[in-house]
Amino acid sequence: MQSPQTANEMLQIAARAADAKGGEDLIALNVSEPLPLVDIFLLVTGNSERNVAAIADEIEDQLLEAGHRRVRREGRAESRWVLLDFGDLVVHVFHSEERVYYGLERLWKDCPVVPIELPAPAAGE
């Protein structure tokens, strides 16, 4: 298991990648108490299957480039809910309808929120 600091660094890389591809409603949850093998879930919404795929691909590319190993990936073919497992960080990229339907925020509502640091939007955006 990696350190919580490493999991947070992975989270920030993934969040910036998701944001760069138009990911919305980013929420990170510390799930280390109920799930001892995972530290953080990152939940992201895309507005179409193409957008979900682009977000997931960018997150995966950025984390791999930073030297993190992917354990598994699921759902890429359908691109309605893509799960990227990087060990201590698990990223869920949802189509908006799936995010509402599965409601992971409700399921994990007792878990603390982890701050996400995104760059400020440029003037005029």
Side-chain angles (χ1 to χ4, degrees):
M1 184 179 271
Q2 300 172 0
S3 73
Q5 182 62 32
T6 302
N8 191 54
E9 290 168 5
M10 293 168 66
L11 166 64
Q12 302 310 324
I13 292 167
R16 285 191 300 273
D19 184 60
K21 290 296 181 180
E24 300 174 351
D25 300 324
L26 280 70
I27 296 176
L29 301 172
N30 181 335
V31 294
S32 61
E33 188 67 32
L35 297 174
L37 298 177
V38 178
D39 283 336
I40 300 172
F41 276 179
L42 174 60
L43 311 178
V44 182
T45 300
N47 56 32
S48 68
E49 287 89 350
R50 177 179 271 171
N51 187 222
V52 168
I55 293 165
D57 290 348
E58 184 68 13
I59 291 169
E60 186 172 10
D61 290 347
Q62 292 298 318
L63 285 169
L64 291 171
E65 187 176 303
H68 302 288
R69 187 176 67 83
R70 187 190 77 222
V71 177
R72 71 183 167 139
R73 175 182 60 194
E74 296 182 14
R76 176 61 176 81
E78 300 82 17
S79 295
R80 300 287 297 180
W81 177 1
V82 179
L83 181 141
L84 301 170
D85 183 350
F86 280 86
D88 289 340
L89 173 69
V90 175
V91 181
H92 301 269
V93 185
F94 293 97
H95 187 284
S96 56
E97 294 166 1
E98 270 66 15
R99 180 138 180 199
V100 170
Y101 181 79
Y102 289 103
L104 290 190
E105 290 94 336
R106 288 188 311 272
L107 182 63
W108 300 101
K109 68 180 183 236
D110 295 333
C111 295
V113 173
V114 179
I116 297 173
E117 301 162 14
L118 294 175
E125 285 188 37

